[in-house]
Amino acid sequence: MFMSDVLYEKRGHTAIITFNKTADLNALSEDFLQKIGEAVDLVEQDEEVYTLILTGAGKAFIAGADIKEMYEKDADSIMVWSSLGSGLNLRLENLKIPVIAAINGYALGGGLELAMACDIRIASEKAKMGLPEVSLGVICGAGGTQRLPRIVGEAVAKEMIFTGKKVNAEEALSIGLVNRVVPPEKLMDTALELAAAIERNGQIAVGTAKAAINFSGTSDLEEGCLFEREIFSKLFETEDQKIGMGSFLRKEKDFKFKN
Ligand code: CAA
């Protein structure tokens, strides 16, 4: 499906959303955020989609909020952008399926905030990431101050946010901001291979694992372990549990989950 600024495509069980507003490096205007949201609607409505890959066309993943549009805002009117941006990121984070960011180039400000709401980040060697908002006289407005310290730790996050500096792909890897770095021409293949490796497993289990891991970000250890125990036990009501464990016991390698 083609939605001009946002491309939506399905390859098997993998959905790919490509940000395609290259003239301004995929800057996140309110309209663009809405269009991305509409593409995510398609993912949510399709039970045959097991993983989602987000990437950008051209030299940017997303170069941040649309500064031209944002310049005119005041404290009230900026809340529209902030709600759209935060809302989209929370939606991606809570999507039942794994979301992979294939970071092809600049992921700055709101672009990095969006990438940080994804479950796994793969970066091209050309990628550059940062939260430069303080250089514009503001701070992140779509979750950046909350997610970056959770991912890289408080001290590193503070240095990145206070200086607004950009890190390259190798630096991002060394601080744990991305899972791996690959040559630009291998970026999509790597993301698709990762998606395929996830899709071979029981999808109810994968979604449950995501929910459990996400819960760990907002709970203490005891609460988290109780939550895990509860949803772990529910998996024993699924056919996938019988298929997965039964196939192991019968030494069958070539089996498929129900999904
Ligand atoms: N908003 C609006 N337009 C943008 C943009 C943005 N975030 N980023 C790039 N563009 C536009 C440029 O204005 C330029 O448009 P024109 O051709 O009409 O002049 C076009 O995209 C190409 O950009 P450049 O010519 O600047 O490309 P470059 O290769 O020389 O530089 C860059 C690339 C380093 C990413 C540079 O564009 C840049 O610094 N962009 C802004 C990055 C930024 O500060 N992002 C954070 C925004 S604030 C935010 O995200 C907020 C939040 O949470 C509150």
Side-chain angles (χ1 to χ4, degrees), residues 3 16 32-33 44 93 104 108 110 114 124-125 134 140 162 186 235 240:
M3 298 196 285
I16 304 169
F32 192 47
L33 280 166
E44 271 189 326
E93 198 162 65
N104 52 300
L108 301 174
L114 188 147
S124 145
E125 286 165 352
V134 292
C140 307
F162 295 168
K186 298 234 167 96
L235 291 172
D240 277 0

Side-chain angles (χ1 to χ4, degrees), residues 220-238:
D220 65 28
L221 186 61
E222 197 174 333
E223 268 181 325
C225 290
L226 283 173
F227 179 74
E228 183 195 69
R229 202 173 66 179
E230 204 174 300
I231 56 177
F232 163 72
S233 69
K234 290 217 166 69
L235 291 172
F236 287 75
E237 291 165 0
T238 65

Side-chain angles (χ1 to χ4, degrees), residues 7 11 26 35 43 49 69 72 111 126 158 160 183 243:
L7 309 181
R11 291 201 205 168
N26 299 320
K35 284 184 179 151
V43 172
V49 172
E69 183 183 77
E72 298 294 341
K126 287 190 175 164
K158 281 181 171 166
M160 274 182 72
I243 294 170

Side-chain angles (χ1 to χ4, degrees), residues 44-59:
E44 271 189 326
Q45 288 155 11
D46 188 341
E47 287 188 356
E48 291 302 308
V49 172
Y50 297 170
T51 54
L52 169 61
I53 297 173
L54 299 176
T55 194
K59 65 180 172 185

Side-chain angles (χ1 to χ4, degrees), residues 1-128:
M1 181 176 166
F2 185 71
M3 298 196 285
S4 70
D5 290 348
V6 179
L7 309 181
Y8 181 78
E9 160 189 12
K10 251 177 85 177
R11 291 201 205 168
H13 290 295
T14 312
I16 304 169
I17 293 176
T18 305
F19 311 125
N20 189 42
K21 197 160 62 81
T22 51
D24 65 0
L25 310 188
N26 299 320
L28 291 173
S29 60
E30 289 172 7
D31 176 66
F32 192 47
L33 280 166
Q34 251 149 1
K35 284 184 179 151
I36 299 170
E38 283 162 25
V40 177
D41 289 344
L42 298 177
V43 172
E44 271 189 326
Q45 288 155 11
D46 188 341
E47 287 188 356
E48 291 302 308
V49 172
Y50 297 170
T51 54
L52 169 61
I53 297 173
L54 299 176
T55 194
K59 65 180 172 185
F61 178 75
I62 292 174
D66 183 337
I67 301 168
K68 286 187 205 95
E69 183 183 77
M70 222 174 231
Y71 175 68
E72 298 294 341
K73 302 280 183 190
D74 61 21
D76 286 332
S77 56
I78 192 59
M79 291 313 286
V80 174
W81 186 91
S82 195
S83 305
L84 283 168
S86 289
L88 174 65
N89 292 346
L90 282 168
R91 234 180 124 192
L92 291 171
E93 198 162 65
N94 293 320
L95 222 55
K96 290 199 174 101
I97 58 170
V99 183
I100 300 167
I103 305 174
N104 52 300
Y106 291 109
L108 301 174
L112 182 57
E113 291 181 287
L114 188 147
M116 288 193 293
C118 298
D119 299 301
I120 296 171
R121 284 164 291 283
I122 302 172
S124 145
E125 286 165 352
K126 287 190 175 164
K128 286 204 168 51

